[in-house]
Each structure stands twice: as C-alpha cells, then as structure tokens.
Amino acid sequence: MIHQGTGETIVLLHGATSSCNTWKHVVPLLSPSNEVFAFTALGHRGGNKATSSIEISDIIDDFERLLDKYNLDKPHITGNSMGGWAAIELAKRGRAASVCAISPAGFWNTPQHGQHLALKKLKRLAFIAKITQPLLPLLAKSSLIRMLALKDVAKYGNKLSGCEFTAMVEDMLYCEVKSSLFNTKQSLNFTEPLPCPCTLVWPECDLLFPPNINAVIAKERLPDARSLILKDIGHVPMIDDPLLIATTILKSIEYGKAFELNE
C-alpha cells in the first residue's frame, strides 16, 4: 500500500496482475492537497493472500475490507481496468463519494467480444514474461524493448525506467490469481444509476478495451455517467502521462461536487 498526504481522501485501485506501484508517479501529484491511499488487490504481489481460486467479486470484497480497516467510509475512488470495475461496484455498495474509472474492465457483451480479446492479450503477456524471466535484467535495459513489450498496455512504455519495468513484469509473474482473473465469467452488467457521480475515462490508444467498443457498452449500462476520451495514452495511462491522469482525477472530483450541488 502507498499512503501519502492529508486532506480529502482519494483511493486508487490498480488493474489485474499489477500492484499499488502502478500509481507511484500519480500519488505525489495528488497528495499535496489530499490523503491518498493506493491499495494492492487480493492475491497480487504485496496484497492480501488468496486461499483459493477467486473471482472479481472477491477482489472487490477485499477492497471493501481495506476501506473498513482504514476507516474510509466514502472516499473518492479512482480505478484503472479491473480497479475501475471495482470502483464502480464499490460505488454501487454506497462506499464512494465519487468515482473516476479509467479503462474500466467488465463492460463486455460476450467472451467473443472485448473480454476475449483483452484477456487473450493479457495471457500472452504473462506467457512472454514467464519464458523471458531469466533475461529480464538484460531486456529491461533497452528502452525499445520496454516500449515493444508494453505496447498493449501503454503507448510510451519506454518512459518506465529499467527498474520500474522489471517491477511491473515481476508483479505479473508473482500474481497468484492471474489464471482465475484471466478466465472470469463475470461482467459489469447492471444498469441502475450509481448513488454518486461517476466519470468514465477512455484512453484513445487503448488496445485492450478500445473506446469504440467498450465505451459504447458502458454508455448503455451507465447512461448517467460522464464519459471522457483522452488522447495519446494507452490502457495503463499512468505510464504514459501521470500528470494528465492526476489532473483528470482531480477534475472528476470537482465535477462530482458540482454535480451534487446542482441536484
């Protein structure tokens, strides 16, 4: 977990096979005026241990237990990918003051559409990480290899340092629950309005959840949510442009406050 700052509370949730370190360049941009918690998910490296195969719902339950542990009743919650899915579900449970969901997972029709494509790419990344693990220290030194290796999740993967790239790959390698998550049958399919303001953020260059597919489905299922498309960033945009993401999070919180004043 990362915990920094004082002020209004912001909780950051990462995507599948990652860790709280996904947010390491965003947290310092938020913490000067906010208390920021970045949690690591159940079964992920640095998170609570999973005792068996799990589902997305178990991840969400564990995040809610973390909210309880740190006495966070209704923080502003931002999540990326699986974390975006979790943020929306936590809001549904009444645990969020506002939600900023960046490339949220779960908005798919059938396994033949976005889910199948995204999970196939993630399985391929996990396989490549496993077979190249002995060469990881050498491969990490090349900015070109970093960019090519991360092309499905970031437009500018070369922005990561060699150490950051290595840590990201090791997060995937040592994620205990990736097989369960890669084969999930669950989805984000409810259509009830959320009890708090919600901003859906779609990176224009997202190769896992393309906005022309997933954003359309999300609009059908959450018609009251505000939707944004951000240019020149990929699925994990904290790699590509931490400042843009921090600014987007803060603006989503301000939008939520204005929305509630107008209600």
Side-chain angles (χ1 to χ4, degrees):
M1 182 185 76
I2 301 173
H3 179 205
Q4 289 184 19
T6 58
E8 286 195 84
T9 306
I10 300 174
V11 168
L12 304 175
L13 307 177
H14 62 80
T17 77
S18 189
S19 74
C20 65
N21 289 321
T22 298
W23 300 100
K24 65 179 290 187
H25 294 299
V26 175
V27 170
L29 301 173
L30 299 174
S31 59
S33 56
N34 298 278
E35 184 177 20
V36 185
F37 292 81
F39 292 135
T40 295
L42 176 71
H44 291 64
R45 190 167 72 139
N48 291 328
K49 297 294 183 182
T51 56
S52 60
S53 62
I54 66 168
E55 258 294 358
I56 298 294
S57 55
D58 299 304
I59 297 276
I60 297 161
D61 290 343
D62 189 67
F63 279 143
E64 187 166 23
R65 286 191 289 270
L66 288 171
L67 294 182
D68 292 337
K69 178 179 178 179
Y70 293 98
N71 298 311
L72 305 177
D73 181 27
K74 293 178 69 173
H76 301 286
I77 303 181
T78 291
N80 172 229
S81 195
M82 178 189 73
W85 182 347
I88 292 168
E89 293 283 5
L90 288 168
K92 185 182 177 184
R93 300 179 184 188
R95 297 306 304 266
S98 69
V99 164
C100 180
I102 304 167
S103 299
F107 287 116
W108 39 62
N109 284 326
T110 69
Q112 283 70 46
H113 288 80
Q115 181 187 20
H116 176 75
L117 173 64
L119 297 183
K120 182 178 179 180
K121 288 184 176 183
L122 288 173
K123 288 177 183 178
R124 183 183 67 196
L125 283 173
F127 175 74
I128 292 173
K130 183 177 181 180
I131 63 174
T132 61
Q133 185 177 7
L135 299 175
L136 184 57
L138 178 62
L139 297 174
K141 294 179 180 180
S142 168
S143 62
L144 177 60
I145 287 177
R146 296 196 299 271
M147 184 173 69
L148 292 174
L150 298 176
K151 65 181 178 65
D152 285 330
V153 297
K155 187 170 182 183
Y156 302 106
N158 55 306
K159 286 188 175 183
L160 290 183
S161 69
C163 290
E164 290 168 340
F165 174 81
T166 298
M168 186 174 180
V169 174
E170 289 179 340
D171 281 345
M172 174 173 276
L173 286 168
Y174 300 119
C175 175
E176 301 171 345
V177 294
K178 55 180 173 286
S179 178
S180 297
L181 299 179
F182 289 167
N183 292 288
T184 182
K185 298 294 187 290
Q186 296 184 344
S187 64
L188 242 173
N189 56 13
F190 62 90
T191 56
E192 307 89 357
L194 293 177
C196 70
C198 176
T199 298
L200 303 177
V201 179
W202 303 99
E204 183 183 48
C205 304
D206 192 333
L207 298 182
L208 289 185
F209 301 146
N212 65 323
I213 297 174
N214 296 75
V216 173
I217 298 171
K219 184 65 176 176
E220 294 171 352
R221 297 182 184 175
L222 285 179
D224 294 331
R226 184 177 69 138
S227 187
L228 303 175
I229 293 182
L230 299 183
K231 296 183 180 297
D232 206 38
I233 54 175
H235 181 72
V236 185
M238 300 81 79
I239 296 173
D240 293 319
D241 197 334
L243 178 59
L244 175 61
I245 296 309
T247 301
T248 301
I249 293 169
L250 295 175
K251 286 183 177 179
S252 78
I253 293 172
E254 292 305 313
Y255 163 77
K257 292 176 180 177
F259 180 88
E260 290 182 332
L261 285 175
N262 291 329
E263 282 292 287

